[in-house]
Amino acid sequence: TADMQTNRHEIAEDFGSISIVADIEDIRILPSTDNTATAVFEEDEKQRHSATVIDGTLSISADDTREWYEKIGIFSTKGPTITLYLPNNSYNALSINSDTSDIFLPKDFTFNSIEIKNSTGDIECFSTSTGLIKITASTGDIEMTDTAAGALELTTTTGDMEIENITCADDIKIGVSTGDVELSNVTCRSLYSTGDTGEMEMQNVIAQNTFN
């Protein structure tokens, strides 16, 4: 129910890696249209965000000064968001640590590694990684389509996974509890999957070595 404001931060310093720490903010990383790196925050006055470059890493986080009772409400018409516009196609490491955020990574970018830790938000990862893509979620869903990775580690509790048209040079490791997994048109070295009561469906999945 807070009044939201739009604030833009242009990042003048060079950086190769990105670290985002969030709570409830939806997160999007998009290509820049003016060849500059810009972070755009939808925020309220008691949840101000910062974007600073330290030792070659762009760090984005929020300073939440709300009291506990200010976090309780019936509904909200518009929540906080983090939108990062990037001018280049390739970066080193991408790290996102959040709680209830919905996260969107488009196919425009390649990273050396991607690590995402989330709770109840959904994750759409269409970016490529030359190394490991590691995504850990609880009740949120994971969707990956038309991309590639050096290695892939995906873990959820009750969330579902939809993995389609993926090329993985190394192993794919999937761990679920009650969530369902759909794999289609996937190639990898070996596929390892653990689960409990969830269902798993595979179509045109090819492993050079092992299904476990």
Side-chain angles (χ1 to χ4, degrees):
T1 57
D3 293 330
M4 306 300 294
Q5 302 174 356
T6 301
N7 293 311
R8 301 174 61 89
H9 295 258
E10 290 190 7
I11 299 108
E13 300 93 334
D14 293 332
F15 60 90
S17 298
I18 301 165
S19 174
I20 301 175
V21 178
D23 185 12
I24 63 173
E25 305 94 322
D26 290 342
I27 301 169
R28 297 183 302 164
I29 298 181
L30 302 175
S32 173
T33 58
D34 58 4
N35 204 33
T36 61
T38 306
V40 179
F41 304 125
E42 291 284 344
E43 57 188 3
D44 66 65
E45 62 180 9
K46 292 189 175 182
Q47 273 185 297
R48 295 297 190 186
H49 295 78
S50 63
T52 57
V53 177
I54 302 174
D55 296 330
T57 297
L58 172 62
S59 297
I60 295 176
S61 61
D63 182 16
D64 192 344
T65 61
R66 296 175 298 169
E67 301 292 343
W68 67 268
Y69 52 82
E70 294 178 291
K71 301 180 182 181
I72 300 174
I74 299 175
F75 67 92
S76 178
T77 57
K78 188 177 183 180
T81 63
I82 297 173
T83 305
L84 179 61
Y85 295 93
L86 297 177
N88 301 323
N89 295 326
S90 299
Y91 292 88
N92 294 327
L94 172 64
S95 173
I96 299 176
N97 195 329
S98 61
D99 190 8
T100 61
S101 306
D102 288 339
I103 299 171
F104 174 74
L105 305 179
K107 62 181 180 181
D108 305 82
F109 301 108
T110 298
F111 299 91
N112 290 346
S113 65
I114 298 173
E115 182 171 5
I116 300 173
K117 296 180 181 179
N118 200 19
S119 182
T120 60
D122 296 333
I123 300 168
E124 297 175 279
C125 179
F126 308 131
S127 295
T128 300
S129 174
T130 58
L132 174 65
I133 297 179
K134 183 176 182 179
I135 301 176
T136 304
S138 179
T139 60
D141 297 336
I142 298 174
E143 180 182 356
M144 296 186 64
T145 307
D146 298 326
T147 189
L152 195 58
E153 294 183 15
L154 307 176
T155 305
T156 66
T157 303
T158 60
D160 297 332
M161 298 185 194
E162 183 178 347
I163 314 300
E164 183 178 5
N165 300 332
I166 302 295
T167 300
C168 187
D170 208 327
D171 297 339
I172 296 177
K173 298 179 181 179
I174 293 176
V176 299
S177 180
T178 60
D180 297 335
V181 178
E182 294 183 9
L183 296 171
S184 62
N185 301 322
V186 174
T187 60
C188 62
R189 187 176 67 176
S190 293
L191 173 65
Y192 300 93
S193 178
T194 59
D196 191 0
T197 61
E199 299 177 355
M200 186 170 187
E201 178 181 341
M202 299 193 296
Q203 296 183 349
N204 193 29
V205 177
I206 301 172
Q208 298 176 13
N209 293 340
T210 301
F211 280 169
N212 190 327

